[in-house]
Amino acid sequence: MKHLVRCFECGREVSDPFVDSCPHCSGKLTIELDLNEVKERSPKELRSRPFGVWRYAPFLPVDASKAVTLKEGGTPLYKCSSLAEKSAIKEVFVKFEGANPTGSFKDRGMTVGVSRAVELGCKVVGCASTGNTSASLAAYAAKARLDSVVLLPSGKVAMGKLAQAMFYGAKVVMVDGNFDDALRVVREMGNAGQLYILNSINPYRPEGQKTVAFEIMDQLEFEVPDRIILPVGNAANIWAVYKAFTEWRELGWIDKIPKLTGIQAAGSAPIVRAFRSGQDDFVPEDHPETIATAIRIGNPASGRKALRAIKDTDGTAIDVTDEEILKAQRMLGRMEGIGVEPASAASIAGLVKLRQMGEIDWDERVVCICTGHVLKDPDTVIKSCEAIIQAKADMESVRKAIGR
Ligand SMILES: *Cc1c(COP(=O)(O)O)cnc(C)c1O
Ligand SMILES: [Zn+2]
């Protein structure tokens, strides 16, 4: 699809495909699509392609016929009646992004990002990651036969994610520091021409991530929900969802945008603080802490974009404690049979809390995006569940052990 890259801050067009920010003002980049090709069409017409990221090819800035794909997207949208009843809200849906090829929504952006890397003739791709981006990058790089390098914050990466990055053959480097330190280093490497950076500051990544919004619309028969709740870490995903809806609105395919509602962990909530004080910019958190490692980010690269998305849609942002996150994670598993990692459960914890605060009305139709699979972080799950029962190998002992 025809497009150009623009600076989010100063609006200048950026022509060098290898810079990760504006050469004039250092602003973050964004993509402007030429939507003329789809102007006369309707969203229903897109249904002639298989359900998934590439159904939305007219909204993606790469050549779909050469896509590096593992058939990402096309994830289920579950109607959650028990959760709705429990939280006293009319309709609650969960968009389960754990059903992607590597178990998180990062695959949506990575299929587009790695396709772009191939278009540009890159041989080495890299990222900093709290885990899921590295798992995704490693898999798509393998598919495209590219080398991949991933920088992880030392000791704070969930086991499933680490295993994936290693398994798909990335060069895995643990750096002494947190995610923000790892991102700083990988950007330096990108600027030095050592690798093509595929963090979400690469504007091609959010383009792929837009498709989660398109799919939700498709699954709701093109009726715009009242609210979409999602966890916010580096803040690219909430921006991507916003961008998706603005494009459809520009085409006249919809006439409103859901209230975009961002949830952060209490120990790592710069966007929430900025939103509360009405600022367009945020103050980074130097020592982010939370059990939800995927959103343990103090200096969100797309933070300013996220604040615009939230404000512009009359949305909101709140933080939730680790305890609330773990409680919500278990509740979703035991009430709906949906297994998500802690960061994803932040959206559920946020749903419950915002309803209690009266911010969400009872008659809303709400979609929570649950970003990653429960198997990503088995250690946290095992620690937060009841202990395993030991018993001798006979029925009497087992009956006694389970209290029957
Ligand atoms: C990356 C990630 C997030 C945060 O998304 P951002 O775009 O960084 O805000 C949330 N949950 C999971 C599981 C993730 O992998
Ligand atoms: Zn600029």
Side-chain angles (χ1 to χ4, degrees):
M1 181 43 101
K2 268 197 286 187
H3 68 281
L4 50 86
V5 178
R6 269 196 199 288
C7 172
F8 176 75
E9 301 296 340
C10 75
R12 280 193 179 88
E13 189 179 339
V14 175
S15 53
D16 181 349
F18 296 106
V19 294
D20 69 4
S21 53
C22 175
H24 306 279
C25 77
S26 307
K28 298 296 179 343
L29 306 177
T30 182
I31 281 173
E32 188 177 301
L33 290 174
D34 175 2
L35 294 174
N36 276 315
E37 211 173 287
V38 273
K39 215 169 185 168
E40 306 301 323
R41 293 164 64 185
S42 77
K44 266 202 182 118
E45 285 174 50
L46 299 170
R47 283 182 172 168
S48 57
R49 295 171 190 251
F51 191 45
V53 166
W54 295 94
R55 170 174 284 188
Y56 306 98
F59 296 89
L60 302 176
V62 287
D63 180 354
S65 69
K66 295 186 191 137
V68 178
T69 174
L70 294 166
K71 303 209 187 297
E72 48 293 316
T75 58
L77 182 72
Y78 296 118
K79 182 162 183 173
C80 296
S81 312
S82 304
L83 179 58
E85 194 176 312
K86 171 93 180 167
S87 49
I89 298 171
K90 196 165 149 201
E91 271 188 297
V92 178
F93 294 85
V94 164
K95 180 68 169 162
F96 180 52
E97 290 291 280
N100 275 295
T102 75
S104 86
F105 77 84
K106 298 298 197 299
D107 295 344
R108 292 181 186 275
M110 210 49 86
T111 182
V112 174
V114 170
S115 299
R116 174 68 178 163
V118 170
E119 263 180 18
L120 291 172
C122 304
K123 297 279 175 268
V124 188
V125 290
C127 69
S129 176
T130 62
N132 281 332
T133 304
S134 70
S136 189
L137 178 74
Y140 285 84
K143 176 80 179 175
R145 312 299 304 268
L146 302 177
D147 288 338
S148 60
V149 181
V150 305
L151 273 60
L152 305 175
S154 169
K156 295 282 183 173
V157 178
M159 200 55 78
K161 306 176 188 182
L162 184 61
Q164 286 178 296
M166 294 166 71
F167 173 73
Y168 292 118
K171 279 230 158 35
V172 179
V173 185
M174 288 269 184
V175 299
D176 309 327
N178 59 28
F179 170 83
D180 305 299
D181 297 311
L183 181 59
R184 176 175 45 77
V185 176
V186 85
R187 287 183 72 177
E188 273 174 43
M189 292 180 73
N191 290 330
Q194 303 269 308
L195 48 80
Y196 181 65
I197 189 168
L198 277 170
N199 276 94
S200 56
I201 51 166
N202 182 320
Y204 289 79
R205 283 261 324 269
E207 291 300 302
Q209 290 172 203
K210 291 186 309 194
T211 58
V212 72
F214 299 148
E215 287 185 9
I216 290 169
M217 287 302 297
D218 200 322
Q219 287 166 309
L220 294 176
E221 291 301 323
F222 306 107
E223 262 186 55
V224 184
D226 296 303
R227 184 185 299 274
I228 294 183
I229 306 182
L230 62 168
V232 172
N234 233 344
N237 209 33
I238 195 165
W239 162 253
V241 168
Y242 172 69
K243 191 166 187 286
F245 281 107
T246 54
E247 286 170 1
W248 277 28
R249 187 175 56 183
E250 209 178 298
L251 287 166
W253 288 5
I254 51 173
D255 54 14
K256 63 164 190 171
I257 299 184
K259 294 186 164 86
L260 296 183
T261 302
I263 313 298
Q264 295 203 289
S268 172
I271 300 299
V272 172
R273 276 197 299 273
F275 177 77
R276 260 192 215 133
S277 56
Q279 307 293 311
D280 294 329
D281 209 348
F282 60 92
V283 181
E285 165 69 59
D286 287 337
H287 304 286
E289 258 331 319
T290 168
I291 196 156
T293 49
I295 51 173
R296 185 173 167 269
I297 290 168
N299 187 12
S302 301
R304 287 169 61 83
K305 293 179 178 175
L307 284 163
R308 182 186 294 177
I310 294 166
K311 256 191 211 165
D312 220 46
T313 60
D314 196 24
T316 189
I318 61 160
D319 58 359
V320 291
T321 64
D322 282 0
E323 206 182 348
E324 289 167 329
I325 287 172
L326 292 177
K327 196 173 158 203
Q329 185 191 25
R330 255 195 324 271
M331 181 171 81
L332 190 63
R334 293 179 182 192
M335 208 170 254
E336 298 287 353
I338 304 172
V340 305
E341 65 167 286
S344 316
S347 61
I348 305 298
L351 172 90
V352 171
K353 200 165 182 173
L354 284 164
R355 178 67 189 119
Q356 282 165 359
M357 292 161 64
E359 280 266 343
I360 299 180
D361 294 328
W362 77 270
D363 63 347
E364 283 190 29
R365 181 185 241 198
V366 184
V367 178
C368 295
I369 299 182
C370 283
T371 44
H373 202 284
V374 64
L375 291 175
K376 291 284 191 172
D377 189 356
D379 298 327
T380 301
V381 167
I382 290 168
K383 267 187 234 145
S384 77
C385 289
E386 300 81 8
I388 299 169
I389 310 163
Q390 286 285 336
K392 287 208 191 89
D394 62 77
M395 183 161 97
E396 242 351 272
S397 306
V398 173
R399 280 178 54 180
K400 236 185 233 160
I402 63 174
R404 298 241 164 206

